[in-house]
Amino acid sequence: MKPVVYSAMQPSNEDLTIGNYLGALLHWIRMQDNNECVYCIADMHAISNIKTNKAIHSSSLDILALYLSCGIDPIKTIAFIQSHVLEHCQFNWLLSCYAYFGELKRMTQFKEKQLKAKEPINIGIFNYPILMTADILLYQTNIVPIGKDQKQHIELTKAIANRFNNMYGEIFTIPQPCISEHGSCIMSLLQPNIKMSKSDINKRNTIYLLDSFYSLEAKLNKTITDSDRPPIIYYEPIFKPGISNLLELLACVGKTNIAQLEIMFEFKAYGCLKKDVISILNKLLTALQTKYFSIRKDEGYLNKIIYDGSIRARKKAIITMNKLYKVLGFSRILTNISNKH
Ligand code: ATP
Ligand code: MG
């Protein structure tokens, strides 16, 4: 049996970013041949963040079309929408009875969102890591390719899975995160000390996969670098976060290594580095967007992938749910896998 890989992106009413691509998607694509991959569009997670959900299905199809244009193969891989596989939410409740308030309160992402919140913060944001734990454990996942920001959530997933296994026997596979050394935390363009996020309200912080050349050029030309004199290009994320971020983008997209780039740019100005980043990203985005706009037009095709994906995902999910119901002593055995929309 091949190892199971699970990962997801939230349809937050925005397109995916270059951070989502380098931190996660690029690895999802690479893993498709030798693993059993389950890639989700996490719409249930998204509603903890977005106010209007009228366009959530359309936004989910945008994300699916981006998955496909980046190289996700819906035959090899299960691609589905989280809300279509009812077991995610059902399992979320069961697991919430095995997770502790204190451990959730320590989650950095929750603390950051709580600090920034201008309105009362909803329980969905607090509960997010339990739903994420349910997402992962439901498929008996071995590997979770993610960006660095999700590392703490995976540690929690492992802790809950181990706790459960210690009580009831070997119920869950313990998942391992797959976080690459470079590209797993692409930083914001104007605030290179915080992570780039698709839902950032300042769009000039973020490179979206569907940005036009003009938008890409304008954003990168305005990227914060530093005032070192003479300007020196080298990788030092703490003291030179802006320059390090540009080097990381260039290295990851151009498949070179950072040490080589430092030599290439030794006596060059910051503007030269920006120019090369713009050029390499433009090549990547142009190719990707051509595919995207042709795929996105065909909603019938996209909905069919989602429909098939949810049936394939549910078949797997139900096996874990049956196992769980049994060990927890519930009498109902789940056999119904009809998935009419
Ligand atoms: P949101 O603002 O909606 O939370 P996001 O950009 O953080 O958007 P998610 O859908 O939360 O995106 O995360 C999808 C995947 O992309 C996760 O594996 C996450 O770790 C990864 N990821 C997110 N941002 C970055 C980034 N800046 N660099 C590398 N990986 C990232
Ligand atoms: Mg996020």
Side-chain angles (χ1 to χ4, degrees):
M1 274 204 341
K2 289 178 178 177
V4 177
V5 172
Y6 175 91
S7 199
M9 312 250 171
Q10 300 182 68
S12 314
N13 278 349
E14 294 296 345
D15 305 318
L16 299 180
T17 72
I18 192 69
N20 302 140
Y21 177 79
L22 295 175
L25 254 174
L26 203 55
H27 308 289
W28 297 13
I29 296 155
R30 173 175 60 75
M31 290 174 158
Q32 289 182 108
D33 288 329
N34 302 320
N35 301 282
E36 200 182 329
C37 296
V38 183
Y39 296 142
C40 173
I41 296 162
D43 56 350
M44 286 292 184
H45 280 287
I47 61 162
S48 67
N49 277 323
I50 52 176
K51 288 276 174 296
T52 157
N53 61 0
K54 284 199 186 114
I56 194 136
H57 185 64
S58 165
S59 182
S60 296
L61 293 188
D62 294 346
I63 303 283
L64 175 66
L66 280 169
Y67 284 1
L68 302 180
S69 26
C70 289
I72 296 299
D73 176 345
I75 309 282
K76 285 187 202 155
T77 286
I78 300 178
F80 72 102
I81 296 180
Q82 191 182 24
S83 62
H84 294 188
V85 178
L86 312 177
E87 287 70 20
H88 285 255
C89 288
Q90 191 177 14
F91 189 20
N92 171 53
W93 172 255
L94 296 182
L95 281 182
S96 67
C97 301
Y98 293 85
Y100 302 135
F101 183 73
E103 60 191 354
L104 285 170
K105 237 172 65 176
R106 282 196 294 276
M107 293 295 112
T108 313
Q109 196 180 74
F110 171 71
K111 288 198 280 191
E112 282 170 2
K113 288 196 170 173
Q114 196 181 26
L115 275 179
K116 272 196 245 157
K118 295 197 173 79
E119 292 167 21
I121 193 158
N122 68 64
I123 291 294
I125 291 177
F126 184 71
N127 195 42
Y128 175 109
I130 306 183
L131 181 56
M132 183 167 158
T133 299
D135 300 340
I136 295 167
L137 299 185
L138 201 48
Y139 300 98
Q140 302 289 355
T141 303
N142 300 93
I143 310 161
V144 192
I146 38 160
K148 221 182 253 169
D149 62 304
Q150 295 299 329
K151 187 166 182 261
Q152 195 187 27
H153 292 158
I154 302 290
E155 292 310 318
L156 180 72
T157 298
K158 286 163 72 175
I160 296 175
N162 277 317
R163 184 174 305 146
F164 206 92
N165 283 355
N166 287 337
M167 288 180 187
Y168 299 103
E170 293 302 300
I171 307 295
F172 298 125
T173 304
I174 307 298
Q176 297 304 329
C178 166
I179 300 174
S180 58
E181 189 190 345
H182 291 295
S184 62
C185 195
I186 300 298
M187 307 309 269
S188 299
L189 300 179
L190 300 177
Q191 290 164 281
N193 52 340
I194 60 163
K195 171 186 102 65
M196 184 183 285
S197 288
K198 65 173 123 62
S199 61
D200 194 322
I201 43 173
N202 185 354
K203 304 294 166 220
R204 286 178 304 165
N205 261 328
T206 307
I207 298 167
Y208 292 100
L209 297 182
L210 298 183
D211 273 347
S212 67
F213 172 71
Y214 300 102
S215 161
L216 177 73
E217 190 182 38
K219 287 179 187 180
L220 279 161
N221 278 332
K222 292 231 161 64
T223 308
I224 298 294
T225 50
D226 54 52
S227 50
D228 284 357
R229 288 296 170 267
I232 313 173
I233 295 177
Y234 63 93
Y235 187 77
E236 192 0 285
I238 308 281
F239 299 110
K240 292 176 78 73
I243 290 296
S244 301
N245 202 33
L246 290 173
L247 283 171
E248 201 143 341
L249 284 169
L250 195 52
C252 293
V253 179
K255 300 193 171 62
T256 42
N257 69 54
I258 288 183
Q260 247 171 318
L261 293 176
E262 285 175 331
I263 298 169
M264 263 175 63
F265 284 95
E266 197 176 352
F267 299 109
K268 300 216 171 122
Y270 289 172
C272 290
L273 177 60
K274 287 184 177 179
K275 215 170 123 213
D276 279 18
V277 176
I278 293 168
S279 154
I280 202 150
L281 278 174
N282 183 44
K283 246 189 238 159
L284 173 76
L285 300 196
T286 308
L288 203 148
Q289 288 171 14
T290 309
K291 288 188 202 149
Y292 173 84
F293 289 114
S294 125
I295 294 171
R296 184 63 185 88
K297 277 192 287 199
D298 193 347
E299 291 216 349
Y301 169 63
L302 295 174
N303 280 317
K304 170 90 172 60
I305 291 176
I306 288 305
Y307 180 77
D308 292 347
S310 66
I311 290 180
R312 287 164 73 195
R314 256 198 117 183
K315 277 189 182 152
K316 292 183 174 301
I318 282 173
I319 296 172
T320 304
M321 284 309 291
N322 275 340
K323 211 169 163 183
L324 272 171
Y325 264 49
K326 203 166 167 196
V327 295
L328 295 176
F330 292 114
S331 64
R332 190 166 68 96
I333 299 296
L334 300 169
T335 51
N336 174 16
I337 56 159
S338 84
N339 211 347
K340 295 206 174 89
H341 297 271

